[in-house]
Amino acid sequence: MLKRVTVPTLFPPPRYAHASVVEAGTRLAFLAGSVPLDADGKLVGEGDPVRQTRQVLANLEEQLRAVGSDMAHVVSTEVYVVSGDTAVLSAVWEVVEASGLSTGPHSSTLIGVACLGYAGQLVEITATAVVP
């Protein structure tokens, strides 16, 4: 149903797969960007990308649960961070890596961006998951 591929002729990725292949007939969920807002719409972790990442991942888990999936079934993510500093990007990635997303491992892209949709927002994660 789900095959994660690390290509031996490419540079070995640090704890993620180069690709995930899903056979036809499998249900997929394409999740909107998970953001660092609490249930009341208030920003969590103002100025703190690591804390915001934790909230984003908690929200992502809720999104997955709502569609009948979980972190282990995520096949692909895009992680957006408001920063051009590789140390900040690495700090965010360490939180992602420590989450259930590393179980796969899944395919991912980490992207430094100029801004995101909410005032003070520093992190957002979009995901595609298999619904078992």
Side-chain angles (χ1 to χ4, degrees):
M1 182 200 266
L2 169 62
K3 180 180 179 185
R4 301 177 199 278
V5 179
T6 300
V7 182
T9 57
L10 296 177
F11 181 77
R15 299 185 190 160
Y16 64 87
H18 285 121
S20 298
V21 178
V22 179
E23 292 181 31
T26 299
R27 290 184 345 147
L28 296 176
F30 299 88
L31 283 67
S34 180
V35 298
L37 303 180
D38 66 15
D40 295 322
K42 294 180 183 162
L43 181 70
V44 173
E46 185 169 347
D48 185 346
V50 168
R51 188 162 169 228
Q52 285 195 17
T53 303
R54 289 187 184 115
Q55 182 66 42
V56 166
L57 289 165
N59 291 348
L60 179 60
E61 284 188 274
E62 288 296 316
Q63 287 175 275
L64 289 161
R65 215 177 342 271
V67 298
S69 192
D70 58 35
M71 297 286 255
H73 286 89
V74 170
V75 294
S76 181
T77 61
E78 292 79 33
V79 180
Y80 302 94
V81 183
V82 177
S83 183
D85 183 342
T86 56
V88 173
L89 296 174
S90 293
V92 166
W93 185 251
E94 286 176 15
V95 177
V96 171
E97 204 172 55
S99 74
L101 288 172
S102 64
T103 302
H106 71 295
S107 302
S108 187
T109 300
L110 177 63
I111 308 162
V113 297
C115 69
L116 290 166
Y118 293 97
Q121 180 184 358
L122 301 174
V123 179
E124 185 164 336
I125 298 176
T126 62
T128 303
V130 172
V131 179

